[in-house]
Amino acid sequence: MAKRLAVQVTQPLLGQPPVLSDTVIYEAEGEPQYAWRVPSSNTGGWSVNTTNRQLARAFYNSVYSASLNTPIGWTGNHAGCVAGTTSSDFKNSVLARINYFRAMAGVPANITLDSTYSAKAQQAALMMSANNTLSHEPPSSWNCYTADGRAAAESSNISLGHNGWDAVGGQMRDNGSNNTAVGHRRWLLLPQTQRMGAGDVPASGSFSPANAVWVFDGNTFAARPSTHT
């Protein structure tokens, strides 16, 4: 079967948000646990008084800006359909950006990255990049198709044309006539969520950068934790 021709997109694209299947069997989970403190890894656990402009500005400068320009360190390649991985610093930068937005929204900002989710999300990101197309249900005819990548596509926010923390920002903005319900933003900010996964691929030749953030961790219907405004 002939390979699909890849043409790099000229601007970031955001498809529709993932849809939570009502047939998914969820793992048993207890009450979400979180602590309001800044961990040594500086990737979450924050609570912010957003009514204080000075504190909000300092939080932006120390956390939001800290993600910028972190090298991706991708170990994969498009030619061999190798999903690879990204550097731990890059993953932490993506995680910090997610938890930054959650803290600013007043929901528990203690998301951690699940290694299994991230490995599958990495395959999904490669698939989106290798085909320069977004789909939550990619067919097996796609370049670099894997079953794990398909599973991640079904359970993730997916972006094309940018990656990493920049893609997270795009999912929070949730532009497009197909995103009037801001589903990507809702999944990133769901108070019950405790674990996510992140996969990222850089631009290469005719291939666009891509991102997948796994957002379904089995806590969707768990008890809602306390939030603040």
Side-chain angles (χ1 to χ4, degrees), residues 108-183:
N110 64 324
I111 296 296
T112 59
L113 291 182
D114 181 284
S115 59
T116 299
Y117 293 164
S118 291
K120 293 180 179 181
Q122 187 65 33
Q123 294 180 54
L126 175 62
M127 288 165 57
M128 305 303 149
S129 178
N131 294 275
N132 279 315
T133 306
L134 291 175
S135 175
H136 288 295
E137 299 178 339
S140 59
S141 59
W142 265 30
N143 298 336
C144 301
Y145 176 89
T146 65
D148 281 346
R150 161 77 186 231
E154 293 175 346
S155 300
S156 300
N157 285 351
I158 49 178
S159 299
L160 188 68
H162 52 181
N163 58 22
W165 57 88
D166 192 35
V168 172
Q171 292 164 16
M172 282 295 297
R173 288 189 295 273
D174 230 349
N175 295 334
S177 59
N178 57 324
N179 290 313
T180 55
V182 293

Side-chain angles (χ1 to χ4, degrees), residues 12-37:
L13 300 177
L14 189 62
Q16 294 184 352
V19 177
L20 185 65
S21 171
D22 58 7
T23 62
V24 174
I25 299 176
Y26 296 102
E27 58 199 75
E29 295 285 352
E31 287 285 330
Q33 301 295 315
Y34 52 93
W36 301 115
R37 60 184 177 81

Side-chain angles (χ1 to χ4, degrees), residues 89-101:
D89 284 346
F90 190 85
K91 287 187 177 70
N92 284 342
S93 293
V94 176
L95 178 58
R97 185 60 60 89
I98 292 171
N99 279 325
Y100 167 84
F101 283 124

Side-chain angles (χ1 to χ4, degrees), residues 4 11 24 35 106 165 199 204:
R4 294 165 54 94
Q11 61 182 8
V24 174
W165 57 88
S204 177

Side-chain angles (χ1 to χ4, degrees), residues 25-80:
I25 299 176
Y26 296 102
E27 58 199 75
E29 295 285 352
E31 287 285 330
Q33 301 295 315
Y34 52 93
W36 301 115
R37 60 184 177 81
V38 178
S40 58
S41 57
N42 199 36
T43 57
W46 307 302
S47 179
V48 183
N49 178 4
T50 56
T51 65
N52 186 311
R53 184 175 181 179
Q54 186 172 358
L55 288 177
R57 182 172 63 248
F59 186 59
Y60 174 89
N61 289 332
S62 62
V63 175
Y64 184 96
S65 298
S67 292
L68 301 175
N69 302 319
T70 305
I72 190 169
W74 186 45
T75 62
N77 64 77
H78 290 86

